[in-house]
Amino acid sequence: MDHDAVASKETGAILHDRLAAVPEPFDFLDIACGDAGQMRTALAATKVRHYQGIDLSEPALALAAKNLEGAPFGVGLDHGDFVSILTARQDPSDISWCGLSLHHLKTDGKRSLLQALCGSTSQFLMIYEPTRVDGEDRDGYLERFSRVNKGAWTFLTPEEWEQIYHHVSTCDLPETADTWLALGREAGFAEAKQIYLDPTGFYGLYRYDR
Ligand SMILES: C[S@@+](CC[C@H](N)C(=O)[O-])C[C@H]1O[C@@H](n2cnc3c(N)ncnc32)[C@H](O)[C@@H]1O
């Protein structure tokens, strides 16, 4: 985050612009919210009425509560697995957001979760997720990830790089942009668009409208 390695500032600014353009009060869902560190800024000067975060990590949720303390909108934080919560819940939101977390699911799991979100989101969903280049398989993605980022992320110690690469190579299941978009349409969203690709070409921002 300190080195903006995954273009969080730019995506936070785009999210803010899209939210600021919503003319009516809205309820906002943040899936895998982490510490909600960017949400104060993303939601500033918008008509947000209620913020609902979900995360598996209690320490992250404690930081999220602190980061959102005194916010001029309602705040709810759910502790748990977003797949279980979102496939069971009927609570609607107007706008849903997920930053860098759906890619741990297999392709069918992504589609099912998007289906659940399509049913519970009244306006639009935005996700920011690792993206494979057309024709690139997962091994090709991992080779590119290592080739491009190992040299560029000089702020990491070799041990930190190994930890990150271990996570990416064991947990991350990126899709191509076409697949991310197709999954949203198959889930029932009327419109699906890629609205940003970070300068390194690894992370795409997608918007799905009801
Ligand atoms: C890469 S961080 C992203 C945090 C935040 N969305 C952001 O963009 O800054 C991933 C977050 O997803 C959470 N997470 C991962 N799997 C989860 C799951 N199945 N259910 C809920 N939270 C999950 C982790 O605890 C972590 O806070």
Side-chain angles (χ1 to χ4, degrees), residues 32-34 55-57 80-82 99-101:
C33 60
D55 205 281
L56 207 48
S57 158
D81 168 31
F82 62 70
L100 298 176
S101 297

Side-chain angles (χ1 to χ4, degrees), residues 141-152:
Y141 174 88
L142 291 175
E143 185 280 320
R144 182 167 60 99
F145 184 87
S146 181
R147 178 168 38 82
V148 173
N149 292 325
K150 194 172 181 180

Side-chain angles (χ1 to χ4, degrees), residues 7-85:
S8 308
K9 285 196 183 119
E10 183 68 21
T11 47
I14 297 170
L15 175 64
H16 170 72
D17 287 352
R18 300 301 167 116
L19 296 178
V22 178
E24 301 294 334
F26 62 88
D27 294 339
F28 181 78
L29 173 66
D30 188 0
I31 303 150
C33 60
D35 67 2
Q38 286 197 300
M39 286 301 150
R40 245 349 225 273
T41 313
L43 293 167
T46 70
K47 295 208 165 57
V48 63
R49 184 171 42 209
H50 186 84
Y51 168 96
Q52 189 68 42
I54 302 175
D55 205 281
L56 207 48
S57 158
E58 280 185 336
L61 289 175
L63 290 171
K66 219 169 164 186
N67 283 328
L68 294 171
E69 205 175 336
F73 45 81
V75 173
L77 295 169
D78 278 342
H79 176 229
D81 168 31
F82 62 70
V83 176
S84 315
I85 291 175

Side-chain angles (χ1 to χ4, degrees), residues 114-115 118 182-191 209-210:
L114 289 170
Q115 230 156 19
C118 184
L183 288 173
R185 292 189 193 105
E186 288 160 16
F189 285 98
E191 229 186 298
D209 283 78
R210 289 295 315 277

